[in-house]
Amino acid sequence: MIINRTILTLEEFRKQELRMLPQATGELSNLLRDIALAAKRVHVEVNRAGLADILGDTGQLNVQGESVQRLDAFANATFMTVLQRGVSCAGLASEELDDFICFDEEICNQSKYVVVLDPLDGSSNIDVNISIGTIFGVYRRLTETESACDRTDFLQKGKNLVAAGYIIYGPSTMLVYATRRGVNGFTLDPSLGEFTLSHPDIKCPRDGNIYSVNHGNYYDYDEKVKQFIGSCQYGTNHSGVAYTHRYTGSMVADLHRNLLKGGIFLYPATAQYPKGKLRLVYECNPFAFILDIAGGQATDANLDILNIPPDTLHQRTPFFAGSSGMMRSFSKNSFSRNGSSSSPVVKSPAS
Ligand code: AHM
Ligand code: MG
């Protein structure tokens, strides 16, 4: 049996990167280490969730009126505590917090970074043992260091992100993060207790054959989206491969799969969520950044997600994201049955 001793842990990978950037202070690297530590703590609880008394809701509603699951609350507290105890984060905005938190003490104020976070996305899947995830983004502060951070630091366009990533708690736990240097995926080795590099330099395939959307809302979608879905149902991709539908209801799982295999994810506006369901700041922007670095794209159907100036922390947006070829076809609404024409050719189910 050949033992592979060349595998890099996240820690070793970070140090290797730092060596290549002599001007770097290591602060971002430390912040990623803190995020990985919090992720490991959440991983432990997610894995024993069925055994421990940690399933179910807390009986409380978050700022958006959604019920707060106990694991949501645990994940939020864990990330907040780890970041606050660290030396590399000045403040945090989270799906589970009404407003941002400025850590506002001497050491944290020295940090040039703030974090946006969805501590546990896919809450509806927590109780049924389906993959869930954490989403994060890191901004360089607009405010001066040595002072308290403020709202403007968090309400930056996604294109200003310096790093973004997610943790998927699935059959294995993975941390995937992007900086301008690339997107890399690390799988948690439970025997080592370390994330190890398993998916170096991830690129999103230009085309795929997966589309991910909640079909239950189909009749709420606008005509363009319906046409696009129709063209996926009755068409093939540019390589002649039939489309297939995959949707878990956990965006991290759906986008992780589509990032690796190629595909498109759609969460359009609905009657219940006329502005879209997903949150721009801590759900869509981090994924848009990751996809952008990996060669994919993300829009709200009109604008590049990364170019939308957020007005509020919990603002929602329609979200369409994935492989660049499929996104281009979606934007042009130009899917064809033979992959060559630029006009939509959608066969009705009755014909
Ligand atoms: P959450 O932040 O409350 O977990 O909601 C976000 C989740 C996404 O992970 C997922 O893509 C979407 O909501 C699923 O919504 P729906 O059940 O309406 O399809
Ligand atoms: Mg969420």
Side-chain angles (χ1 to χ4, degrees):
M1 186 175 112
I2 297 168
I3 299 176
N4 183 355
R5 295 202 187 280
T6 58
I7 283 178
L8 287 178
T9 65
L10 175 62
E11 197 69 9
E12 290 169 317
F13 180 83
R14 288 188 315 110
K15 285 181 189 152
Q16 206 176 66
E17 289 239 296
L18 270 178
R19 285 211 184 97
M20 289 187 270
L21 298 167
Q23 73 284 11
T25 60
E27 196 182 334
L28 179 61
S29 187
N30 286 338
L31 181 50
L32 288 165
R33 185 195 53 201
D34 291 345
I35 288 170
L37 171 63
K40 284 191 252 183
R41 291 190 174 150
V42 173
H43 155 88
V44 169
E45 293 308 317
V46 167
N47 271 264
R48 55 195 286 275
L51 303 170
D53 184 25
I54 197 161
L55 293 176
D57 62 47
T58 57
Q60 291 170 338
L61 300 179
N62 69 12
V63 63
Q64 292 148 89
E66 300 153 342
S67 81
V68 177
Q69 304 285 309
R70 279 189 251 180
L71 264 180
D72 279 340
F74 173 82
N76 188 56
T78 302
F79 275 93
M80 203 163 80
T81 307
V82 169
L83 293 175
Q84 192 158 16
R85 281 187 196 148
V87 294
S88 314
C89 180
L92 173 71
S94 159
E95 178 174 337
E96 300 304 334
L97 299 172
D98 294 2
D99 205 351
F100 72 92
I101 288 197
C102 175
F103 295 147
D104 200 14
E105 50 85 31
E106 201 184 337
I107 301 285
C108 290
N109 282 351
Q110 282 168 17
S111 168
K112 53 183 179 292
Y113 297 115
V114 294
V115 170
V116 294
L117 180 77
D118 183 350
L120 213 54
D121 187 64
S123 315
S124 63
N125 283 326
I126 290 177
D127 283 2
V128 289
N129 203 12
I130 290 177
S131 298
I132 46 182
T134 297
I135 310 167
F136 64 89
V138 180
Y139 284 103
R140 192 182 293 270
R141 294 168 62 176
L142 299 175
T143 48
E144 295 291 329
T145 52
E146 315 291 343
S147 66
C149 59
D150 72 22
R151 191 172 305 279
T152 59
D153 295 322
F154 299 94
L155 294 181
Q156 300 188 53
K157 288 182 183 175
K159 69 178 187 183
N160 291 356
L161 282 161
V162 293
Y166 59 86
I167 297 102
I168 177 165
Y169 310 97
S172 54
T173 292
M174 276 188 74
L175 186 157
V176 176
Y177 81 88
T179 63
R180 305 235 166 245
R181 296 171 60 81
V183 184
N184 290 284
F186 300 81
T187 301
L188 185 63
D189 177 343
S191 57
L192 269 184
E194 295 282 355
F195 284 103
T196 55
L197 183 62
S198 52
H199 295 65
D201 197 20
I202 296 171
K203 301 283 182 224
C204 182
R206 186 188 167 280
D207 273 306
N209 73 327
I210 298 170
Y211 74 104
S212 309
V213 68
N214 186 338
H215 268 287
N217 298 328
Y218 180 82
Y219 290 104
D220 283 353
Y221 300 152
D222 71 25
E223 281 312 311
K224 178 177 162 172
V225 174
K226 283 185 192 162
Q227 265 196 9
F228 179 79
I229 292 173
S231 63
C232 290
Q233 287 173 315
Y234 297 101
T236 61
N237 72 6
H238 291 266
S239 310
V241 180
Y243 290 101
T244 188
H245 176 252
R246 294 282 183 273
Y247 187 75
T248 65
S250 274
M251 179 168 64
V252 174
D254 285 319
L255 278 168
H256 175 67
R257 182 199 51 239
N258 293 4
L259 172 69
L260 297 185
K261 293 194 163 184
I264 188 167
F265 173 93
L266 308 95
Y267 207 110
T270 63
Q272 188 184 2
Y273 298 108
K275 293 185 173 163
K277 177 182 181 188
L278 300 173
R279 275 52 61 114
L280 174 64
V281 172
Y282 43 78
E283 292 180 328
C284 301
N285 269 335
F287 268 113
F289 180 82
I290 295 164
L291 280 163
D292 187 49
I293 303 288
Q297 285 174 12
T299 74
D300 71 352
N302 296 307
L303 298 172
D304 185 335
I305 287 289
L306 295 173
N307 265 327
I308 301 175
D311 294 322
T312 60
L313 291 176
H314 300 289
Q315 153 177 355
R316 297 177 193 265
T317 177
F319 189 51
F320 306 92
S323 295
S324 60
M326 297 177 84
M327 286 297 295
R328 257 196 298 280
S329 299
F330 170 70
S331 304
K332 285 192 283 182
N333 203 353
S334 63
F335 261 50
S336 72
R337 287 177 59 73
N338 61 15
S340 59
S341 151
S342 64
S343 60
V345 183
V346 181
K347 199 176 169 189
S348 83
S351 63

